[in-house]
Amino acid sequence: MKSKNLKKNYFYNLKKEPSKYYELSRKINFLTKGFDTIKIVFLSNFTLELLDPFIKVELAKRNFKSNIFFEPYDQIEQTIHNLNSQIYKKTDAIVIALKIENFFPNIFNEIYSVSKINNRINETKKRIFKIISQIRKNNSYSRIILFNFSFVENDIQGLNSASSKINLNYLLQEVNLYLATLTKKFNSLFIFDLNKVVKDVGLDIFFDKKLLFLSKMPFSIDGQIEVSESLSRFISATIKVPKKCLVLDADNTIWGGVVGEDNIDGIKLGEDFPGNIYKSFQRYILSLRKKGVLLAIASKNNESDVLNVFKNHQDCLLKKNHFSAIEINWNDKASNIKKIAKNLNIGLDSIVFFDDNPVERELVKTVLPDVNVIEVAKDPLLYEENIQNSEYFDHIFITDDDMKRPQMYAEDRKRKRILKKSSSIDNYIKSLKVVIQIGFINKDFIKRCSQLINKTNQFNLTVKRKSEGELNNFIKNGTIALWARVKDKFGDNGLVGVIIAVQKNNMNGWVIENFLLSCRVIGRNIENIFLYELVKELKKENKNKLIIGEYIKGDKNFIVKDFYKSQGFKKKGDNTWIKKIKDFREDKLKKFIKVVRK
């Protein structure tokens, strides 16, 4: 059975019943097509093996076929010092789940003083820090996903616990705050919010005392399913790149009614029901934009009617300037989405389409199968939930450049207008007053550089993806790794480029492992100057050696297939290009572009 059919028949109508998960997990074991393989190792001080079928199914819903290993429970310290452990073999994710009660077995029976509580807090912090440090000592590449601690219901301090720091929930709160700080100290460390999952489900439903006594598994069956679903979504979000653009319909989507028939005063949008539902949805849409999601409109309408609402309706929170692309006309939605993708220079697979009309959704799914179409509920109260549950915009972390993305695209529209008016590329580049900042990749830039490596598709010579840990390994082991940031008179494009060269003595030169640029800066000769800045570093090492470039064909990087040829490289083999380092010359347009080394 193909994975696509499996999804259709099982995943989207999957009832949260253990028997359904067990049945489906057995079938997944025999599937090979349509999935990315992922290896996960669990470390815990309580039994987690019962999660296996639930996690396998939930990850398969997200196109991952998982190989899951459970290290012996409550032997974490022994495991992390065993170099033969699965955590030190090629592993995509190491999941660490801890119960505070197993750190301190008598914790529920002790009457605490403030000093005792603080001692327990410090002991817990030190122990967790040692665990992460030991893993990172021998494994610097795998993702580490650390559960935070769930608050407890059976606090022995009873009614006065909220009035005092002498209680277990205070201890757990302090430890959870500390865990958040660890993500800045260790690369590829992510905190899974178990506490939120428990609160969403409810303590009484999530935990099962009898099961804990029987098998050392504290979670009820419902709890096991809920934590497996949330954890699988979390793991997926650490790997997958979020979609870039949300394309919205207007009528009956961002407001109620049809503006062409009801006029601006007749549409449902305001502080009273049901208009307040749509106003709340607009707030949610704007929150996505603040996280870096590009917004676009594809509406069958008179353009003036829609723009009038944006401009003059007192309760319309969405304005024209919030949209990076607008297609309001009577053309079909598929054609308009293709225009939006072209104008924004993004792939169709980076677009999410949200429209209340099932006919329009079906058209887009048929004509543009790469576009991600959300199934929209009839009840607008569920619109926000529809987008959240789609998982298309899931972020584990958001960089400053992410939050500035809508502004960057607005600035890019101004550049395009200048380009149309320019008589030559030389004049265009000169008029932009471009400044390129270039520096070495270090711990302060790993997160953003890894993000760029994993999501850039068009100007990407090798399409080799790297996690934060893998990138950290490269920069520690004698590579030359540079980042590039581009600014001009219109604004800051952010960190847009990565180039990494690895020395290969058997090839008498340096191999370009990664070379990529954001599509936002293609066509300004940034790539030529960036390459030469790498060459300048290589000349310091040995100018008589070779620089070896490789073009690996990806789904969307055909625009760079002749890049090395254009730079004077000679072809050697099917995908390999070589050039002597000493033969490089600076690009002629360098005189129009200022380079600043950081």
Side-chain angles (χ1 to χ4, degrees):
M1 184 186 297
K2 293 183 179 179
S3 63
K4 184 167 66 175
N5 294 332
L6 190 72
K7 278 189 172 184
K8 182 177 180 181
N9 294 332
Y10 289 93
F11 291 155
Y12 293 130
N13 296 306
L14 177 64
K15 294 181 179 179
K16 292 187 177 182
E17 298 172 0
S19 60
K20 299 294 184 182
Y21 279 93
Y22 298 146
E23 175 190 352
L24 192 50
S25 68
R26 289 192 292 270
K27 293 183 179 181
I28 290 169
N29 289 332
F30 298 99
L31 297 174
T32 56
K33 295 182 179 179
F35 293 92
D36 294 322
T37 302
I38 180 173
K39 178 182 174 183
I40 305 170
V41 181
F42 282 84
L43 293 175
S44 68
N45 60 6
F46 58 93
T47 303
L48 276 181
E49 282 86 342
L50 295 178
L51 299 182
D52 183 80
F54 307 125
I55 292 175
K56 281 184 176 176
V57 171
E58 290 296 337
L59 282 170
K61 284 168 63 175
R62 295 160 176 86
N63 293 324
F64 294 106
K65 185 176 181 181
S66 55
N67 295 320
I68 300 176
F69 298 85
F70 295 91
E71 294 287 2
Y73 88 92
D74 212 15
Q75 295 184 27
I76 293 176
E77 273 78 5
Q78 298 93 316
T79 298
I80 63 177
H81 286 93
N82 176 11
L83 295 180
N84 292 319
S85 167
Q86 288 290 341
I87 62 175
Y88 298 131
K89 298 174 183 178
K90 187 64 177 176
T91 302
D92 295 289
I94 300 166
V95 179
I96 303 173
L98 306 169
K99 275 173 59 67
I100 201 75
E101 302 92 309
N102 291 0
F103 276 176
F104 313 111
N106 296 319
I107 199 166
F108 286 111
N109 300 319
E110 297 178 353
I111 301 297
Y112 293 111
S113 66
V114 172
S115 62
K116 188 74 170 178
I117 282 284
N118 288 334
N119 286 339
R120 291 304 197 200
I121 290 170
N122 291 330
E123 288 176 49
T124 305
K125 289 179 180 180
K126 289 177 182 178
R127 193 167 178 181
I128 292 172
F129 186 87
K130 285 181 179 179
I131 291 170
I132 304 300
S133 297
Q134 182 61 32
I135 294 174
R136 273 289 170 254
K137 179 180 177 182
N138 298 302
N139 178 338
S140 60
Y141 53 85
S142 297
R143 297 165 183 84
I144 298 177
I145 297 172
L146 176 63
F147 281 41
N148 70 3
F149 292 94
S150 165
F151 288 0
V152 295
E153 185 177 29
N154 300 318
D155 193 327
I156 60 169
Q157 297 302 317
L159 295 176
N160 69 331
S161 65
S163 304
S164 169
K165 288 184 177 181
I166 310 175
N167 64 78
L168 293 178
N169 281 335
Y170 171 72
L171 185 156
L172 297 178
Q173 181 179 355
E174 290 299 300
V175 173
N176 283 346
L177 289 172
Y178 170 73
L179 296 185
T181 68
L182 291 181
T183 60
K184 296 180 180 178
K185 297 177 181 178
F186 297 96
N187 65 276
S188 294
L189 172 64
F190 307 95
I191 307 302
F192 173 68
D193 197 351
L194 175 67
N195 189 45
K196 182 179 184 302
V197 177
V198 173
K199 287 194 290 188
D200 288 346
V201 176
L203 284 167
D204 291 339
I205 297 173
F206 194 89
F207 292 109
D208 186 328
K209 269 192 176 180
K210 184 177 181 180
L211 193 58
L212 174 62
F213 290 130
L214 283 171
S215 64
K216 306 297 183 184
M217 160 55 81
F219 308 151
S220 66
I221 292 295
D222 288 336
Q224 292 172 44
I225 292 174
E226 292 298 330
V227 78
S228 297
E229 181 178 23
S230 297
L231 177 61
S232 298
R233 178 172 181 171
F234 190 87
I235 292 172
S236 175
T238 69
I239 299 171
K240 291 183 178 179
V241 178
K243 302 305 177 185
K244 293 180 179 178
C245 179
L246 175 62
V247 177
L248 295 153
D249 179 36
D251 292 331
N252 287 312
T253 301
I254 55 177
W255 55 69
V258 179
V259 68
E261 298 174 1
D262 301 325
N263 298 318
I264 187 171
D265 296 327
I267 60 173
K268 299 177 180 69
L269 184 63
E271 292 298 329
D272 298 323
F273 185 86
N276 51 6
I277 298 174
Y278 294 97
K279 190 169 183 178
S280 176
F281 183 51
Q282 289 194 14
R283 287 193 188 95
Y284 172 70
I285 292 169
L286 287 173
S287 75
L288 291 177
R289 185 177 185 272
K290 288 179 181 177
K291 295 175 184 177
V293 177
L294 303 177
L295 302 182
I297 283 283
S299 172
K300 284 184 177 178
N301 241 313
N302 292 321
E303 184 177 37
S304 58
D305 290 340
V306 175
L307 296 183
N308 186 35
V309 177
F310 292 152
K311 184 178 181 180
N312 295 315
H313 197 294
Q314 64 178 5
D315 288 301
C316 188
L317 304 178
L318 291 167
K319 304 299 179 184
K320 181 182 178 181
N321 66 299
H322 290 140
F323 295 93
S324 299
I326 294 177
E327 293 294 333
I328 305 171
N329 49 51
W330 296 100
N331 299 331
D332 66 89
K333 297 289 179 76
S335 297
N336 281 335
I337 289 173
K338 286 170 71 175
K339 286 183 182 178
I340 290 168
K342 183 177 180 180
N343 290 339
L344 297 178
N345 194 22
I346 60 176
L348 290 169
D349 60 347
S350 294
I351 287 178
V352 176
F353 180 53
F354 191 93
D355 191 312
D356 71 294
N357 190 330
V359 176
E360 300 289 4
R361 298 197 301 269
E362 194 60 34
L363 170 70
V364 172
K365 283 191 284 187
T366 303
V367 178
L368 303 176
D370 287 343
V371 171
N372 307 279
V373 180
I374 293 178
E375 289 305 309
V376 180
K378 293 181 179 179
D379 186 350
L381 276 170
L382 299 176
Y383 284 2
E384 180 178 332
E385 184 178 323
N386 292 154
I387 294 177
Q388 288 179 334
N389 289 345
S390 75
E391 303 182 19
Y392 289 133
F393 302 112
D394 279 0
H395 281 79
I396 298 300
F397 61 85
I398 301 171
T399 66
D400 289 340
D401 285 349
D402 288 329
M403 292 187 285
K404 294 175 183 175
R405 185 178 296 117
Q407 176 187 335
M408 292 175 183
Y409 274 82
E411 292 162 354
D412 201 45
R413 287 198 296 271
K414 297 176 183 177
R415 295 184 189 98
K416 288 177 179 177
R417 288 196 289 268
I418 293 292
L419 177 59
K420 287 181 180 179
K421 297 177 181 178
S422 296
S423 57
S424 68
I425 189 68
D426 291 37
N427 289 335
Y428 168 63
I429 293 174
K430 184 178 180 180
S431 70
L432 290 178
K433 298 180 181 178
V434 177
V435 177
I436 306 176
Q437 294 179 344
I438 292 175
F440 289 100
I441 299 174
N442 57 31
K443 63 186 178 87
D444 296 326
F445 292 90
I446 282 180
K447 192 178 291 291
R448 172 57 181 153
C449 289
S450 175
Q451 183 190 56
L452 195 64
I453 287 170
N454 287 304
K455 73 177 185 179
T456 302
N457 295 309
Q458 294 182 57
F459 195 105
N460 192 332
L461 273 298
T462 63
V463 206
K464 293 180 180 178
R465 311 303 188 183
K466 286 182 175 61
S467 68
E468 290 178 43
E470 289 170 324
L471 184 55
N472 190 50
N473 270 354
F474 266 88
I475 65 177
K476 281 183 176 180
N477 294 313
T479 63
I480 293 178
L482 302 174
W483 54 263
R485 188 179 193 94
V486 176
K487 300 180 180 180
D488 61 28
K489 69 178 183 180
F490 290 112
D492 187 347
N493 288 275
L495 195 151
V496 294
V498 171
I499 191 165
I500 301 172
V502 182
Q503 188 168 14
K504 300 285 186 180
N505 291 327
N506 62 328
M507 302 176 75
N508 190 36
W510 292 77
V511 175
I512 297 178
E513 171 77 10
N514 290 88
F515 186 9
L516 53 109
L517 282 174
S518 168
C519 61
R520 295 196 304 274
V521 298
I522 295 173
R524 297 182 226 169
N525 274 44
I526 307 297
E527 58 271 25
N528 302 346
I529 294 170
F530 196 22
L531 175 61
Y532 188 72
E533 290 299 313
L534 171 68
V535 171
K536 283 165 67 174
E537 294 299 325
L538 300 182
K539 283 182 176 180
K540 296 176 186 178
E541 302 289 330
N542 188 335
K543 67 179 180 180
N544 292 315
K545 287 195 173 186
L546 296 172
I547 183 166
I548 301 143
E550 186 180 19
Y551 168 69
I552 298 175
K553 184 179 179 182
D555 293 336
K556 299 176 182 178
N557 68 341
F558 63 90
I559 65 169
V560 294
K561 65 183 179 66
D562 294 322
F563 175 75
Y564 286 123
K565 182 180 179 180
S566 71
Q567 299 299 307
F569 283 69
K570 292 182 180 179
K571 194 169 186 180
K572 186 174 183 179
D574 292 338
N575 302 312
T576 305
W577 300 78
I578 62 173
K579 186 174 180 178
K580 290 182 179 179
I581 293 173
K582 65 181 181 180
D583 291 341
F584 276 86
R585 301 290 181 271
E586 285 195 279
D587 188 89
K588 65 177 183 177
L589 291 176
K590 169 71 185 307
K591 60 185 177 182
F592 300 140
I593 296 176
K594 182 180 180 181
V595 176
V596 178
R597 294 301 295 257
K598 290 288 189 178

